[in-house]
Amino acid sequence: MRVRPFFAACVLVWMAGCGGPRPQQGAICTSPQGTTTPTSAVVVPQPAPVSAPSAPRPQPTASPNAGSTLEVDPANDAFIRDLLDSTHQGKGHYKVLAISAGGQWGAYGAGVLAGLDAAGKVPDFRLVTGISTGALLAPLMFLGDYEGAKQLYTSITSDDIYRTRPLSELITANSLLDSSPLRRKVGTVLTPEIIEHIRRENIDNHRVLAVQSVDIDAGVSVVFDLTAIAADKYRPCGEQVSARDCIIHAVIAAAAIPVAFPPEFIQGDMYVDGGLRQYAFSIKVALEAVHHRSRLSSLLSVTHGPRRLPTGGPTEPDSRPIALTLIANTDFVVLPQCVGNGILPIAERAAGVALDQLSIGSFYRLMSETLEQPSDKARFTYADPALTKCTLPASSGSALEAFDQGYMRCLFKAACIAASNGEEIWHYNPDDLPESPAVGVVPTPSAAAVVPRTVPAICEVPG
């Protein structure tokens, strides 16, 4: 049998992926542990958490998005209708929760929300969103199942997420790892009872739960409105697929890390992790729903031609303000590493640095867009090592493979205790982000009252 040259080349690249020794050893590689920061490097300090500003943040005289347009796919009509219905209910700030991507750092987000619940301070979130690990966590947070989130993020191991493929599979596989264990885990979490609960929250309380994936064929972000699927308002997976199975497909699609995990096929389209485009769910359509209801509503009548929605501009008279809570499941730390001189180690390291910068850009944009209107509010929290005191062991594996149970338990407990005790974990200015795209002034931390630290039962973890 004749082997095609391209296939032979692929095998050779795979076999040679680890490369050879580095011709010269820099400061990182010559340090005793290979983790010393070179003296020529400048380490950007992490900004300190600050109290909510007493005065409104200065606003631009005109929205930077004024005159811009947003492409809205007809597939998102069910999501738009749900938003319009949800934002029409009640008064005051329309509260939105955005849970970001971040793999095992999802334990931090689970801990923050469990701690807020223990303190009785969970906002009445009308819209709950998630991407990647946030998509796994979002249904539990939507339903207030903090114990379930705790169990998921303190007991899960790599074996619950993926199976390493043997070389014989890799030759024809579309991913390095097999994520069928994750599918089984999601199936045990999203029971028929949970799906019914999600449906009732949408029908009775007009709340919305959505996750975001990327259609890699089209190259665009796609919203899956899980509440609309549960309520049988639309069927993105086809008429023959049950609501529960479709929601499982959507959650897996939102968490399918490209190359590491296989893509998810829905109606013949190929979907991958939503973090490929944005590290946190974009709420631009939600902003339109609260500030420009009639404009967004009129878009639904457009059945032919481009669906372009103007954004920005003065709010409508009956506009509601929005309040965003962003859970950034990351520590914003890129540790020094002596990178191997091969294709695979260089590619992995480059991906890790790029993802860190992607997360910063996504969070900055999300916070900035939300704060364009003076009446709107936004805050974010992240797994600052100075707060959590958690250290990821160097032996935990690669960025794709690391699901260190001890580290996740530490993150959950630290976040839960801090949130339940009202400690200063929140930031209100996008310029507080490390490596912020804009030059900003980091506010001086407010003096926090010294109070005894309590540890609610939900915060206790084994080990």
Side-chain angles (χ1 to χ4, degrees):
M1 182 176 67
R2 184 179 178 185
V3 179
R4 290 183 297 175
F6 178 74
F7 177 76
C10 289
V11 173
L12 289 173
V13 167
W14 176 261
M15 294 176 64
C18 294
R22 292 167 58 129
Q24 291 181 319
Q25 301 293 322
I28 297 296
C29 296
T30 55
S31 65
Q33 292 80 30
T35 57
T36 300
T37 303
T39 55
S40 60
V42 177
V43 179
V44 179
Q46 308 284 354
V50 297
S51 298
S54 57
R57 183 169 178 258
Q59 301 294 324
T61 55
S63 168
N65 288 327
S68 65
T69 58
L70 177 68
E71 291 282 348
V72 181
D73 193 291
N76 289 334
D77 281 3
F79 178 55
I80 292 174
R81 290 190 177 93
D82 262 359
L83 280 177
L84 290 171
D85 179 45
S86 179
T87 57
H88 189 62
Q89 310 295 323
K91 297 181 179 180
H93 282 85
Y94 182 75
K95 298 178 178 64
V96 178
L97 173 64
I99 311 175
S100 84
Q104 63 183 343
W105 281 270
Y108 177 78
V112 167
L113 292 162
L116 289 178
D117 178 66
K121 295 180 179 179
V122 176
D124 178 21
F125 292 119
R126 311 307 298 169
L127 170 63
V128 175
T129 69
I131 281 181
S132 196
T133 197
L136 304 178
L137 186 54
L140 297 173
M141 297 300 93
F142 182 72
L143 300 178
D145 185 3
Y146 305 102
E147 186 63 40
K150 171 184 173 179
Q151 291 302 316
L152 180 63
Y153 279 92
T154 60
S155 64
I156 201 167
T157 66
S158 297
D159 290 340
D160 297 313
I161 304 295
Y162 62 82
R163 177 184 66 87
T164 303
R165 295 187 189 275
L167 183 59
S168 57
E169 281 187 22
L170 286 171
I171 293 173
T172 58
N174 59 359
S175 65
L176 297 177
L177 305 170
D178 172 15
S179 62
S180 55
L182 176 61
R183 188 181 300 276
R184 290 192 293 271
K185 175 64 73 172
V186 171
T188 63
V189 172
L190 297 177
T191 62
E193 293 75 20
I194 290 292
I195 302 304
E196 172 60 18
H197 196 171
I198 291 172
R199 186 183 77 87
R200 294 311 321 174
E201 281 297 307
N202 183 244
I203 298 298
D204 297 342
N205 299 322
H206 310 283
R207 297 176 67 220
V208 184
L209 169 65
V211 299
Q212 197 163 300
S213 180
V214 169
D215 180 337
I216 202 167
D217 290 322
V220 298
S221 296
V222 175
V223 172
F224 288 101
D225 182 346
L226 304 190
T227 37
I229 297 172
D232 204 26
K233 295 178 179 178
Y234 85 130
R235 293 178 170 269
C237 304
E239 294 297 324
Q240 304 306 313
V241 180
S242 69
R244 175 172 176 262
D245 287 343
C246 187
I247 288 175
I248 291 173
H249 280 304
V251 170
I252 294 295
I257 305 170
V259 180
F261 295 164
E264 187 75 359
F265 290 91
I266 299 176
Q267 293 285 79
D269 294 321
M270 183 187 291
Y271 292 92
V272 298
D273 194 304
L276 184 63
R277 270 285 186 184
Q278 298 165 127
Y279 234 57
F281 194 103
S282 172
I283 63 167
K284 287 187 72 69
V285 177
L287 288 167
E288 289 299 308
V290 296
H291 293 314
H292 305 98
R293 287 183 53 82
S294 61
R295 188 165 70 186
L296 181 61
S297 181
S298 65
L299 187 75
L300 296 174
S301 62
V302 178
T303 57
H304 302 287
R307 302 260 304 223
R308 296 192 179 96
L309 177 69
T311 60
T315 61
E316 294 179 357
D318 59 347
S319 171
R320 291 179 65 181
I322 201 168
L324 169 70
T325 295
L326 167 61
I327 306 293
N329 290 312
T330 177
D331 57 4
F332 291 120
V333 172
V334 179
L335 291 173
Q337 176 186 335
C338 183
V339 180
N341 187 31
I343 296 172
L344 297 181
I346 292 173
E348 183 180 17
R349 178 61 167 176
V353 174
L355 286 175
D356 180 69
Q357 193 59 42
L358 170 65
S359 68
I360 293 169
S362 294
F363 301 152
Y364 185 88
R365 178 177 179 179
L366 181 57
M367 290 286 294
S368 297
E369 287 176 345
T370 305
L371 293 171
E372 283 176 5
Q373 296 293 343
S375 59
D376 292 342
K377 301 190 297 184
R379 62 178 181 171
F380 74 90
T381 183
Y382 70 100
D384 185 348
L387 168 75
T388 66
K389 305 295 191 296
C390 299
T391 303
L392 182 63
S395 60
S396 62
S398 70
L400 295 179
E401 298 174 355
F403 282 90
D404 186 275
Q405 194 175 81
Y407 181 65
M408 296 171 72
R409 288 175 175 175
C410 179
L411 281 179
F412 178 89
K413 184 173 184 178
C416 185
I417 292 174
S420 66
N421 283 273
E423 296 175 21
E424 297 289 0
I425 64 172
W426 299 104
H427 298 263
Y428 299 85
N429 189 326
D431 289 340
D432 285 359
L433 287 160
E435 301 287 356
S436 168
V439 177
V441 177
V442 178
T444 302
S446 301
V450 178
V451 295
R453 231 173 177 226
T454 59
V455 182
I458 188 69
C459 300
E460 295 286 5
V461 297

